[in-house]
Amino acid sequence: MPNVIPAGADLNDPLYYLSNARTLINWVRERHGDLLTQTELYRLDCFDSLPEQAQALLIRMVMRRGELFRSDQLQYAELSAPLPLLRLLADAGFVLLDPALTVEELASLLCKSELWQVCHRLNPDAPPSKQSRKHDLVTWITQTDHGARTLEDWLPDAGFDAVSLEVSPLMQRLQLMFFGNLHQDWSAFVVTELGHQLYEPVPLDSASRAFHQRSDVDLYLALHTLQQRLEQGEPLNDILTELPACGSTPWLENRRRKLMFALGQAFERAGQLSQARTLYAQNPHREARIRQLRLMERMDLPEATFEAASASLEAIQQPEARLRIHRIRVRSARKAGISIEPPRQPVISTHRLSLPLEANESVEQAVIAHLATQGIQAFHVENRLFTGLFALLYWPAIFAPVPGAFFHPFQAGPADLYRPEFQASRQALIDACTAQLETGGYRATILARLAQKQNIRCHLIHWPSLTEERVNACLTLVPAEHLKQVFLHMMKDLRYHRRGLPDLICFDWQARRYQLIEVKGPGDRLQDHQRLWLECFQAQGIPASVYQIQHEQTE
DNA sequence: CCGCGGTGGG
DNA sequence: TTCACACAGTCCT
DNA sequence: GACTGTGTGTCTCCCACCGCGGGA
Ligand SMILES: [Mn+2]
Ligand SMILES: [Mn+2]
């Protein structure tokens, strides 16, 4: 399997960013060429045939925030004057010179004093105060004259030109096809080249790619725009009518369901409960099932809610969701006068403790200080220690070149890390790592990887929390059998079981024992996933308990 | 005048 | 800028 | 007791710079 990881451009090259952009574009053309239209391929060819300096300026704009720029802020030491380059780009249709601007767009381009000049031109006799806030100037202009005009119209003597980028959709599509997401961007190249981010090298063959059908890319992009429109507060019914149909792969369909769920919640907040219910009803996503039951509980007869909750319990395996549905079932049964078997709820071992709580110090720190007086070493680690140890032990499985899991050089984990098939796709590797907990090899493995893999990005590792001291302490005082039980439980559902681990891990070096403590201050209570972990610990004989802290009565 | 949040850049 | 956690306010029994 | 919404840190690099807005 040829390793075709592209080298980031040499940063001594003044056009290093253009070189990186070409790497990305060519990568997508080679692997995803069949997912691009003839028009898109033609535009990329046009880009190639532009003079190098014009290409570079375009990439500078693509990498910057927004789609509107002023020519005086496009001056780069490594490039010639922007205007002639911009004209080349405009001739090729990549940018638009002097575009029509809304008032908001105008304001994003101008600084406050320039914006005041615009006001002054509109009404020289009664301009607003120069002390007005920028946003007030915007509203002032809107009230006086709202209409999109070009910068030439708004402020002819501005002293610079406005330019808009006309290739964002294509560039966003390329970015998505390369990274498989839209939160990583071009800066990944330079940040990696600088050594600020490290990534595990995973062999990629030329068939590795994030998408396999153009319609999948389209769906991802459509969902993303709808998501943004939802966040911006657009009318919910507009978004509802544009919801795309079912996705072709489970992970895309899951993204669609998450958006449907978010839209349903927005309807709920807006008081449009029937719209919300319709959305939830079509949505098999766990969260949606629960919200639907909650709405039924509020709106329907308790008998109906009881039946629906009972049916959901048959279908849903995820323990946290089951816990919430179970409570709904119990409540509606009581309301409907249905008698059901009382739930078995294990009692969680709880200790009450009075401590002097300082205002500027967390309650967890107070407990750590208290334990220190008893010669016990405690760390506030929450999820970060066990998930980190898990990742160190199972590293070869996590970063195994499973087909489809890795498709670009900047991944902090496989694409399917939180998907149900993760375990099955790597079973042999996982078993080999687990076996080390039985043969005893795990200690050396984990310590070696802690050193070897230091600072390599991994979704399950928070490096600052994973100090050698803590790892050593864990490997010394936590029995292998306990680690195994914890890891097997995490493996069942990495997405949900990486949350809810107790606040503190405590090491008693005299007694050579350890324990886990979930700290609860006054007015804080166990969350469902925290309770589930504590139940798991108790069932496995792992020492874990809740410390309920009260303010110490002074005198 | 200065703190800040946002942005650009390697 | 998401995500996990804590915390505060509300309703209900 | 349970549900809900909100606040907080944040550890997706890290430094320099700029404009805004407010109060030293
Ligand atoms: Mn905590
Ligand atoms: Mn806690």
Side-chain angles (χ1 to χ4, degrees), chain A residues 402-460:
Chain A
V402 167
F406 290 90
F407 37 78
H408 69 82
F410 310 108
Q411 285 181 244
D416 59 347
L417 182 63
Y418 297 130
R419 306 217 269 263
E421 71 272 16
F422 172 81
Q423 187 178 357
S425 310
R426 299 153 177 82
Q427 196 61 59
L429 285 166
I430 287 171
D431 291 344
C433 295
T434 309
Q436 295 193 29
L437 289 164
E438 280 138 25
T439 60
Y442 71 100
R443 287 197 180 87
T445 302
I446 287 177
L447 285 172
R449 272 195 201 118
L450 180 67
Q452 262 169 33
K453 305 299 186 184
Q454 193 69 225
N455 293 328
I456 295 182
R457 293 202 46 200
C458 171
H459 289 312
L460 298 176

Side-chain angles (χ1 to χ4, degrees), chain A residues 364 382 503 518-520 524 530:
Chain A
E364 290 86 358
E382 287 181 340
D503 288 313
E518 172 55 43
V519 177
K520 286 299 170 199
D524 183 19
Q530 294 174 331

